[in-house]
Amino acid sequence: AALDNASLADHQGLPRHAADLLDALCRPFPGAFDLHHKAASLLSGFGQHEMATTLYEQMAAIDPGQVAGHLQLGIQYQKAGRYDDAIARFKQVIALAPANGPAYMLLANSRPMTESDLELCQIYERALDQPGVSDEARACIGFGLGKIQDDLGNYDRAAGYYRTANALRRRQISFSHAGWNQLVERLIRVFGEVNLSTRPP
């Protein structure tokens, strides 16, 4: 109910009041990570990025092994222009969960990469070689590698990574021509039975 009240307050143009409601809700339960994640996500959506960042920082301090908190904290740092802090968080996520695809992509997009970031390419390549990494994660890692190589001016290499990542992404999208045809036929049948001349004016 408190989460709903906070959303209602924000919709009424009272984002600060909404933030205060969430703060009062979370303060007595410092270890309730699901609640804190929901509250921090709402705070960010309300434009209260500093409060969201503080909440994520508290979660990371209480449980340094919590991957989701570090990832979201990195995103908040990016929004605040704290790119070095964001990169540190994304690297921490990768250390904790080497198959976390979004962390690789977010890290690569934190700032323009330079020659001093070449060691990242090795980290990314090793991640691609790991068994059990999902196609979704491989696509994210590939897009990240493409971004790094693009920043370094290695355009042919970047294009190769982008092609591979796009192919992996396409494999995740399931489209059935037969299913689409059946849907269209059903719509034609349903609307063919509707007598449009009897519509009210």
Side-chain angles (χ1 to χ4, degrees), residues 126-200:
R126 281 198 299 272
L128 285 174
D129 289 338
Q130 287 183 97
V133 177
S134 69
D135 281 352
E136 182 180 356
R138 287 181 191 282
C140 289
I141 296 165
F143 285 126
L145 268 167
K147 161 66 166 59
I148 295 168
Q149 294 293 349
D150 196 275
D151 285 349
L152 296 174
N154 301 324
Y155 304 119
D156 289 343
R157 200 173 296 175
Y161 286 124
Y162 285 138
R163 273 195 301 274
T164 302
N166 277 314
L168 287 166
R169 185 59 55 85
R170 278 194 299 274
R171 278 195 345 209
Q172 297 165 41
I173 301 169
S174 60
F175 177 78
S176 165
H177 287 285
W180 175 254
N181 288 336
Q182 289 173 0
L183 173 63
V184 171
E185 286 171 10
R186 278 200 308 272
L187 289 172
I188 290 170
R189 198 165 49 250
V190 167
F191 283 101
E193 294 167 0
V194 175
N195 184 353
L196 296 178
S197 64
T198 62
R199 283 188 314 169

Side-chain angles (χ1 to χ4, degrees), residues 12 34 73 115-116 169 178 190:
Q12 292 173 336
D34 284 346
L73 184 51
E115 294 293 327
S116 65
R169 185 59 55 85
V190 167

Side-chain angles (χ1 to χ4, degrees), residues 1-11 18 21-23 25-26 34-43 46 55:
L3 293 174
D4 292 337
N5 288 341
S7 294
L8 181 61
D10 182 63
H11 286 303
L21 287 171
L22 291 172
D23 182 56
L25 174 65
C26 292
D34 284 346
L35 172 64
H36 284 232
H37 274 296
K38 287 175 185 169
S41 178
L42 284 171
L43 284 166
F46 298 162
L55 203 48

Side-chain angles (χ1 to χ4, degrees), residues 91-105:
K91 284 183 175 179
Q92 196 161 359
V93 171
I94 290 167
L96 290 167
N100 187 297
Y104 292 89
M105 198 158 59

Side-chain angles (χ1 to χ4, degrees), residues 50-64:
E50 279 188 34
M51 289 186 74
T53 299
T54 299
L55 203 48
Y56 283 124
E57 285 173 339
Q58 290 169 354
M59 285 188 280
I62 291 170
D63 184 359

